[in-house]
Amino acid sequence: MNAKINVMLVEDHPDYREILAFALEKNEPFELTGRFGTAERALRSVQDPRGRSAPDVILLDLSLPGMSGLDALPWFRKYLPGTKIIVLTQSEAEADVLSAIRHGASGYLLKSSSMKEILQGIHAVMQGGASLDASVARFILSTLQQQLPPAPSAEEPELSGRELEILQMIADGLAKKEIAAALSISTSTVVTYVNRIYTKLNAANAPQAVNKAHKLGLFKPE
């Protein structure tokens, strides 16, 4: 028999709260340990449990009278560090999504989710995963992709700063000895750099290397 999953509801809409409670009470292995219409009452209950078991999961609305769900989230995390918190809300606002996740929410579901999706979401976070509405997951993925530096293209070689500098000098028409003098390095060192540049660009000579560098946009615009 599966271990019980104790769930607390923090939802101010009485009809929706009762629908959630009914679904939890009718489905194994969930057990309803508390239902509250405000964050303040819910927080008081976890501060003074009086023999009640701590919830494994809290379904937390964001739009609550008094203290909002976002404001309450850090306090639930403080008083119940082992409890998973799933935000269950109507808000698709990007700021709410990011704020909830930054404050430690394990999931973010919309109230348009089916009851089956909500129950599956609880199972997911209890197994160490995350429970995200599909549209929320797409937004988070898009945000992360925008924050990450672009991956180098398979056709775009990675030249070092010195190699780019020497390649620019070659493009400007400087000979190897002139490059060596300008950079205060030996001519043989320049030759070594040039050979590396040709290898990385798959070029046979200076004109090919310069031409390919132009096509790949390796030169800084003047």
Side-chain angles (χ1 to χ4, degrees), residues 21-196:
F22 179 81
L24 291 167
E25 290 170 343
K26 293 298 180 181
N27 285 275
E28 292 285 349
F30 304 106
E31 187 168 290
L32 187 61
T33 61
R35 61 182 91 176
F36 302 94
T38 67
E40 290 89 343
R41 289 184 59 202
L43 286 169
R44 283 197 296 270
S45 77
V46 301
Q47 289 176 280
D48 182 23
R50 298 188 181 182
R52 294 190 300 269
S53 299
D56 299 305
V57 176
I58 297 174
L59 295 181
L60 176 65
D61 189 11
L62 294 187
S63 181
L64 296 168
M67 179 184 285
S68 72
L70 282 179
D71 290 335
L73 212 161
W75 293 102
F76 282 118
R77 297 288 297 137
K78 177 182 178 180
Y79 296 134
L80 300 169
T83 297
K84 307 291 186 181
I85 299 174
I86 298 176
V87 169
L88 183 58
T89 180
Q90 292 179 332
S91 174
E92 297 182 73
E94 297 175 358
D96 287 344
V97 174
L98 294 178
S99 183
I101 292 172
R102 289 192 185 106
H103 281 96
S106 298
Y108 196 105
L109 296 175
L110 301 180
K111 289 184 178 179
S112 56
S113 303
S114 68
M115 203 55 59
K116 180 180 179 181
E117 289 170 333
I118 293 172
L119 298 182
Q120 288 174 339
I122 297 173
H123 278 296
V125 299
M126 287 301 298
Q127 292 168 5
S131 177
L132 297 172
D133 181 85
S135 62
V136 170
R138 285 193 295 271
F139 160 68
I140 293 173
L141 180 61
S142 175
T143 300
L144 291 174
Q145 287 173 337
Q146 292 172 14
Q147 294 175 349
L148 292 173
S153 167
E155 297 180 358
E156 182 178 335
E158 294 185 21
L159 299 184
S160 68
R162 178 65 88 182
E163 288 166 349
L164 284 171
E165 186 177 22
I166 290 174
L167 183 57
Q168 182 67 65
M169 290 180 172
I170 293 173
D172 291 339
L174 275 66
K176 293 183 178 67
K177 289 183 179 180
E178 293 174 313
I179 295 172
L183 298 178
S184 299
I185 58 178
S186 67
T187 303
S188 62
T189 299
V190 174
V191 171
T192 299
Y193 276 117
V194 170
N195 288 336
R196 288 179 188 169

